Amino acid sequence: MGDQNQNQNQNRREMGDELTTVEDNISISSIEPNDDPRIIITMSATQVDDDDQILDAGAGDHHDHGHVVDHDAVSASAPPMESSSPEGTSTSTTSPSVSRKPLLLSIVPSNNINRAAATPKSHTPNFFTPLGSPIRRAIQLTKFDPRSQDHDAWLPITESRNGNAYYAAFHTLCSGIGIPALVLPVSFTILGWAWGVISLTLAFIWQLYTLWLLVKLHESTKTGMRYSRYLQLFSATFGDKMAKIFAVFPIYYLSGGTCCALIIVGGSSMKLFYEIVCGHDCTSKPLTAVEWYLVFTCAAVLLSQLPNLNSIAGVSLVGAITAIGYCTIMWLVAVTEGRLDGVSYDPIRENTNTAMVFSVLNALGIISFAFKGHNLTLEIQATMPSSEKKPSHVPMWRGVKVAYLIIAMCLFPLAIGGYWAYGHKIPPNGGMTTAIYEYHGRDTSQWVLGLTSLFIVMNAVSSFQIFGMPMFDDMESKYIKRMRKPCPWWIRSISRAMFGYGCFFIAVAIPFLGSFAGLIGGISIPITFAYPCFLWLKVKKPKKYSFMWCLNWGLGLLGTVLSIILIAAGIYVVIDTGIQVSFFKPQ
């Protein structure tokens, strides 16, 4: 009898040591979805009671309330807060959140595997445990977007994520300098020297700050999500309904509407370049305006077959170089040729106070429209790799700083030099482009004028690619959502060709669309100046009445008011000046 008691005590000590060794080896981080389901944890150590435990040393089996415990397949709880004592007495406590759905761990001896009776497999996925709460949040955040994270690898914006700071600078330069910058001297004729320079400087700092906000909002440290599109970030922050009302039209207008305008500008510059190269004595029959639009559209559609945003980095580099080129040529020609005779720098005064107010608003609108590309910031950053140690906002901001330093070196000399040379004589339609050919067309080298036109064409066809990329991405996402597979190359080619020639049709059918530029532009102003501030407030939740809280509320509300006023001014201009409607008759 004494020997039997000694054997039972010995077996209890061995069982306690074995359980201690097993519990020490349990690690939550080692849980994988594909763990061997044969190994089961059937009970908690707190449920083991010495009075109920019957150890049979001879048979080697241990029975506990109907549970079979085998030496080769040991059942234990996971993870207990404390290990069992050597005497077999359990002092562990189990976390209530974990105990509601025990983690299934594998404990398999390497020498022998016995298939024990397995408990029924739960139909609840493992990621719905407390450990999976970040995944649940990510799933909830992606419900609004039919383009799930799995589909990002098939879409042109996020298909390639090997971008860098150089690519970011190329894309930002190409999208940040455009034809609206050539009209900046016109705003100075209304605001004058002092207020013109102050307004341009404040607008530059303002839009650079909102660009920094967007770069920071691209990645969420809480959820691990990357918001690769402006509309995606807006929808995740304010909801689908708000996005459809306030964001969808401005964002799509800045893409599709800009492409239509680029066809008009590029086709007209092609025609001008041909006339300069051919000369006054040219006997060949020139193409019509519609035919030049078609030539430009064919070139843009052909180039749009490049698959993704990273693949057009070289195209954006060409667009950036040519944009810097024609801006620099224009202000250098204006300054070197000297001021025109009879130039006045007195601000233009209107007859009535109402007309004067709307003229000032129009000048502020011209300055605001000169800064564009914010609708592409998140898309550009989405082409970069990102990790916890190397987040994408670091190279993105590095590239943006270089790009906007160059943009400032283009815009400020263009505005100040152009106003100094032409004063109130600057043509309101066309700005610097019209002034160069009108005032210096005869005394300036034809090669310089031809090179300027060629640079405008090359910049327009390059900008068409980056501004059209969000539209390409949206069209392909509809196919991927429906078919759940990558878009074939022939569907991609057809869809992009349809978009390009659709823009051509609009440019030809509604050539007076530019008359609504102030009205529609006022609607798109919040994308640059207001929405980033509200997004920051909603996502980051700065402390109430702190500096960032006050700054973003102030800028956001000011941008919204500016947008409403510019829309009203656009409506007034349309009613006051009228519109010369001429369908299918481009000039």
Side-chain angles (χ1 to χ4, degrees), residues 6 159 202 240 262 274 300 358 362 392 398 408 439 518 523 549:
Q6 291 179 359
E159 187 177 28
L202 291 178
D240 289 345
L262 288 172
Y274 174 80
F358 282 108
N362 182 58
S392 63
R398 190 183 304 124
Y439 298 125
I523 300 175
W549 187 89

Side-chain angles (χ1 to χ4, degrees), residues 19 23-24 26 44-46 76-84 90 92-95 105:
L19 283 175
E23 290 165 0
D24 290 340
I26 291 174
S44 173
T46 57
S77 66
M81 301 300 294
E82 300 176 7
S83 61
S84 301
S90 173
S92 65
T93 58
T94 307
S95 170
L105 301 182

Side-chain angles (χ1 to χ4, degrees), residues 32-188:
E32 298 293 340
N34 296 324
D35 281 340
D36 194 335
R38 295 171 299 180
I39 310 305
I40 311 134
I41 296 171
T42 58
M43 62 185 195
S44 173
T46 57
Q47 297 172 332
V48 179
D49 188 359
D50 289 335
D51 296 334
D52 297 331
Q53 204 172 43
I54 302 174
L55 302 176
D56 189 344
D61 293 333
H62 307 271
H63 301 275
D64 178 60
H65 299 287
H67 291 77
V68 178
V69 182
D70 187 74
H71 287 299
D72 296 330
V74 181
S75 297
S77 66
M81 301 300 294
E82 300 176 7
S83 61
S84 301
S85 61
E87 291 77 18
T89 307
S90 173
T91 58
S92 65
T93 58
T94 307
S95 170
S97 61
V98 178
S99 64
R100 283 194 293 269
K101 187 180 189 304
L103 302 175
L104 303 182
L105 301 182
S106 297
I107 312 169
V108 182
S110 58
N111 55 353
N112 186 20
I113 300 176
N114 292 332
R115 295 178 179 271
T119 57
K121 186 182 293 185
S122 172
H123 294 286
T124 304
N126 283 336
F127 57 76
F128 283 117
T129 63
L131 297 177
S133 57
I135 303 177
R136 286 203 307 272
R137 287 198 297 268
I139 291 174
Q140 292 170 357
L141 283 173
T142 55
K143 282 182 179 179
F144 69 90
D145 193 355
R147 302 163 300 197
S148 65
Q149 298 296 313
D150 294 337
H151 296 162
D152 271 356
W154 299 340
L155 293 170
I157 288 178
T158 50
E159 187 177 28
S160 173
R161 291 190 186 268
N162 59 356
N164 51 49
Y166 297 102
Y167 287 10
F170 300 159
H171 292 314
T172 305
L173 272 172
C174 185
S175 61
I177 304 178
I179 301 300
L182 301 179
V183 197
L184 281 174
V186 178
S187 65
F188 280 50

Side-chain angles (χ1 to χ4, degrees), residues 58-351:
D61 293 333
H62 307 271
H63 301 275
D64 178 60
H65 299 287
H67 291 77
V68 178
V69 182
D70 187 74
H71 287 299
D72 296 330
V74 181
S75 297
S77 66
M81 301 300 294
E82 300 176 7
S83 61
S84 301
S85 61
E87 291 77 18
T89 307
S90 173
T91 58
S92 65
T93 58
T94 307
S95 170
S97 61
V98 178
S99 64
R100 283 194 293 269
K101 187 180 189 304
L103 302 175
L104 303 182
L105 301 182
S106 297
I107 312 169
V108 182
S110 58
N111 55 353
N112 186 20
I113 300 176
N114 292 332
R115 295 178 179 271
T119 57
K121 186 182 293 185
S122 172
H123 294 286
T124 304
N126 283 336
F127 57 76
F128 283 117
T129 63
L131 297 177
S133 57
I135 303 177
R136 286 203 307 272
R137 287 198 297 268
I139 291 174
Q140 292 170 357
L141 283 173
T142 55
K143 282 182 179 179
F144 69 90
D145 193 355
R147 302 163 300 197
S148 65
Q149 298 296 313
D150 294 337
H151 296 162
D152 271 356
W154 299 340
L155 293 170
I157 288 178
T158 50
E159 187 177 28
S160 173
R161 291 190 186 268
N162 59 356
N164 51 49
Y166 297 102
Y167 287 10
F170 300 159
H171 292 314
T172 305
L173 272 172
C174 185
S175 61
I177 304 178
I179 301 300
L182 301 179
V183 197
L184 281 174
V186 178
S187 65
F188 280 50
T189 63
I190 301 171
L191 300 174
W193 275 116
W195 284 110
V197 173
I198 291 173
S199 300
L200 183 60
T201 304
L202 291 178
F204 180 83
I205 297 173
W206 187 355
Q207 61 86 33
L208 188 60
Y209 170 72
T210 57
L211 185 60
W212 176 79
L213 294 181
L214 290 175
V215 171
K216 288 292 186 179
L217 290 172
H218 174 77
E219 296 159 320
S220 173
T221 56
K222 293 183 179 180
T223 63
M225 291 283 293
R226 295 187 66 178
Y227 302 99
S228 302
R229 298 158 186 86
Y230 198 115
L231 189 58
Q232 182 184 13
L233 175 61
F234 197 97
S235 298
T237 305
F238 296 112
D240 289 345
K241 186 175 181 180
M242 295 288 287
K244 291 177 181 178
I245 296 174
F246 295 104
V248 170
F249 177 77
I251 290 173
Y252 285 164
Y253 166 75
L254 287 173
S255 294
T258 301
C259 289
C260 294
L262 288 172
I263 290 177
I264 297 175
V265 171
S268 302
S269 299
M270 275 186 168
K271 180 181 179 181
L272 187 60
F273 175 75
Y274 174 80
E275 292 174 352
I276 293 174
V277 172
C278 191
H280 298 288
D281 300 331
C282 185
T283 58
S284 62
K285 183 180 178 180
L287 299 177
T288 64
V290 175
E291 291 170 338
W292 282 115
Y293 291 178
L294 183 60
V295 172
F296 178 88
T297 304
C298 291
V301 169
L302 181 64
L303 204 56
S304 70
Q305 301 307 313
L306 292 172
N308 53 62
L309 188 54
N310 256 344
S311 65
I312 65 170
V315 177
S316 294
L317 174 60
V318 173
I321 293 174
T322 52
I324 297 170
Y326 71 70
C327 287
T328 304
I329 290 175
M330 286 187 180
W331 72 262
L332 281 177
V333 169
V335 171
T336 54
E337 292 293 336
R339 292 186 297 179
L340 299 179
D341 296 334
V343 169
S344 173
Y345 300 117
D346 295 330
I348 297 176
R349 301 296 179 185
E350 300 292 341
N351 297 329

